[in-house]
Amino acid sequence: MKYSEKYTRGYFMPPVQSLKWTEKEYIKEAPTWCSVDLRDGNQALIVPMNLEEKLEYFQLLLQVGFKEIEVGFPAASETEYAFLRTLIEENLIPDDVTIQVLTQSREHIIKKTFEALQGANKAVVHLYNSTSVAQREQVFRKSKEEIIDIAVTGAKMLKKYAAETEGNFQFQYSPESFTGTEVEFSLDICNRVLDIWQPTADNKVIINLPATVSMSMPHVYASQIEYMSDHLSYRDHVILSVHPHNDRGTGVADAELGMLAGAQRVEGTLFGNGERTGNVDIVTLALNMFSHGVDPKLHFEEIPSIISKYEKLTRMRVHERQPYAGELVFTAFSGSHQDAIAKGMKWREEEERQHWTVPYLLIDPMDIGREYEGDIIRINSQSGKGGIGYILQQSYGIDLPIGMRESFGYHVKSVSDHKHKELMPDEIYDIFIGEYVNIHTPIEFIRFKHTQNGHYETSVSIRMNNEEHECMGIGNGRLDAISNAVQAKLGIDYTDLVYKEHALEIGSKSKAVSYVGIRANNGIVFWGCGIDTDIMTSSVKALFSAINKMVVSLQLLIKKEYSHSIK
């Protein structure tokens, strides 16, 4: 691309190597989660939530299990202020939940923030000011010492107003635009704030290091976090927090590596809502941990209902390919994927394995409220015989023989291709019934009788062209005798009769299903299926369904050859 030379790497590596985080394999315990949906996510909405919607969203966050929730910027608008007062005055905040509010380092804003917090049982007051080179030079046009003075002055005001206000308050400081700030300067300004607040074991302080704009690869952010973690004053009394944005599409990776590097707390939103490309997606982060066998301490057992409420209140949409939550993320259209999933599910059922190892499925969809039927395998022109067979088996209890799966699979794919659409399970079932089950034209089976004398002798009644005929045959079994009788009567020939039967497990359990495959002289295998309350009758119906398909095919072939000969 043109003009790449105009861009430079605006981040700063730590002055010493910070790579201990690379020795860790995975995140072994959940961090403290703080939802910023109601502040950072809300301000990013085209139409911000009103008071009633914010109250409903707050209840959703409680149901998910958040113990820290940023409820807004109470000095910014009347809605924000009224929301906070409603939560406090109507006693809507559970005893084990801490609310958080944001404030700039300006006295009139800090004063109004504490007015809004009057009587709060537990609240984090989050102070921030921007520290990056770009902000210092272009926006504030201030020196480093002047930027430090803004932070220190704000820290002192928080202590002053907290002492004068009824409530229980914890302090948090963010050097906003941390990722564009020299790491040594970030350390200096954070330590100067900590010196004002003097944290203790009983009164810890949160230092939040936001990727306000994601500027580097995730390993750089991790090294920055580790350096800060190793050199912050009062470290044992500091809760180190990260707040990654997703400008480079690496918000989740930034958060995960940040936790490996020492972060104990993560601020983010459901499904990554937020300014520009959004905040880090806490759903993805939490379920990534879940996929490693770690309890994330949040409740996503019913993802569909969470999505429904989220979309209603934010007027945003969860994308179909959103990790874990998207409508299609557990869905396979590819034939090879479908086959592997179907076999993996069957293997898991047979082996009764403790751990989830199904190919292509990172976690069991059932664990987050998704259904196997219609979620895992969906059918279009790219699908394969394994997936199509899986749909019939899971949804309707029809377990096709392997060869029949291939024959039916090609037929279904052709229908999907011509219609240019995905086929739903009921459509696939209807195609199967119409093409394979109890076919009675041009030859209709009426009845049969057997006698046994070392072998089976049979009499079969059939109807063709509105006339009834009797067929006589002998065979090693009842179906073999009927097959021989029909071949002799009609003057047709086929070999390699394949037979399978089972009880219909879904729907009417009193019915039996039979499948028959026959190979014509031209090598083509024709399949038929019979369904009946009597297992033998279902077998005969399956045989006649296969014979009818063969006869019709041969008639069409003869007609086609005759047409060519006329020309």
Side-chain angles (χ1 to χ4, degrees), residues 209-233:
L209 304 175
T212 308
V213 178
S214 177
M215 305 177 75
S216 68
M217 293 177 70
H219 73 286
V220 173
Y221 187 57
S223 295
Q224 294 168 337
I225 299 299
E226 184 172 281
Y227 179 82
M228 294 290 288
S229 179
D230 287 345
H231 294 88
L232 278 170
S233 302

Side-chain angles (χ1 to χ4, degrees), residues 197-306:
W197 286 342
Q198 296 284 312
T200 65
D202 297 327
N203 187 26
K204 292 185 177 182
V205 161
I206 301 167
I207 293 293
N208 185 57
L209 304 175
T212 308
V213 178
S214 177
M215 305 177 75
S216 68
M217 293 177 70
H219 73 286
V220 173
Y221 187 57
S223 295
Q224 294 168 337
I225 299 299
E226 184 172 281
Y227 179 82
M228 294 290 288
S229 179
D230 287 345
H231 294 88
L232 278 170
S233 302
Y234 313 93
R235 182 64 185 92
D236 289 344
H237 308 321
V238 170
I239 299 167
L240 190 60
S241 176
V242 291
H243 180 123
H245 278 251
N246 200 39
D247 303 87
R248 302 180 77 254
T250 58
V252 168
D254 287 340
E256 290 183 328
L257 298 192
M259 283 187 274
L260 291 180
Q264 302 148 288
R265 181 178 183 269
V266 175
E267 294 186 348
T269 59
L270 297 179
F271 312 116
N273 184 28
E275 293 280 21
R276 305 183 310 280
T277 55
N279 294 281
V280 66
D281 176 10
I282 287 182
V283 178
T284 299
L285 274 175
L287 291 177
N288 279 354
M289 291 181 199
F290 182 71
S291 75
H292 284 168
V294 177
D295 183 358
K297 308 297 184 183
L298 292 174
H299 299 293
F300 295 117
E301 292 90 348
E302 293 297 332
I303 279 285
S305 64
I306 294 172

Side-chain angles (χ1 to χ4, degrees), residues 246-396:
N246 200 39
D247 303 87
R248 302 180 77 254
T250 58
V252 168
D254 287 340
E256 290 183 328
L257 298 192
M259 283 187 274
L260 291 180
Q264 302 148 288
R265 181 178 183 269
V266 175
E267 294 186 348
T269 59
L270 297 179
F271 312 116
N273 184 28
E275 293 280 21
R276 305 183 310 280
T277 55
N279 294 281
V280 66
D281 176 10
I282 287 182
V283 178
T284 299
L285 274 175
L287 291 177
N288 279 354
M289 291 181 199
F290 182 71
S291 75
H292 284 168
V294 177
D295 183 358
K297 308 297 184 183
L298 292 174
H299 299 293
F300 295 117
E301 292 90 348
E302 293 297 332
I303 279 285
S305 64
I306 294 172
I307 292 172
S308 176
K309 188 162 288 188
Y310 167 84
E311 292 185 334
K312 182 190 81 168
L313 295 173
T314 65
R315 303 169 184 83
M316 301 281 284
R317 183 176 68 86
V318 174
H319 193 274
E320 290 86 351
R321 300 294 181 186
Q322 181 92 359
Y324 299 105
E327 180 185 353
L328 299 178
V329 296
F330 295 109
T331 300
F333 288 101
S334 162
S336 61
H337 289 208
Q338 291 176 342
D339 185 58
I341 291 171
K343 289 175 179 175
M345 296 291 285
K346 186 174 180 62
W347 182 85
R348 176 175 172 78
E349 184 179 315
E350 292 171 349
E351 298 289 328
E352 296 184 353
R353 294 285 175 162
Q354 177 184 357
H355 295 108
W356 180 264
T357 58
V358 174
Y360 296 110
L361 298 181
L362 183 59
I363 65 171
D364 185 346
M366 294 283 283
D367 289 338
I368 59 171
R370 301 289 293 273
E371 299 292 335
Y372 292 148
E373 181 181 335
D375 270 349
I376 293 182
I377 291 175
R378 289 164 61 173
I379 305 302
N380 63 15
S381 61
Q382 307 300 307
S383 303
K385 61 181 185 289
I388 293 167
Y390 180 84
I391 290 288
L392 279 182
Q393 184 173 10
Q394 291 296 310
S395 301
Y396 303 101

Side-chain angles (χ1 to χ4, degrees), residues 101-113:
V101 294
L102 188 69
T103 180
Q104 295 172 330
S105 185
R106 300 169 68 183
E107 186 165 12
H108 71 283
I109 292 177
I110 292 172
K111 180 180 179 182
K112 187 164 185 179
T113 298

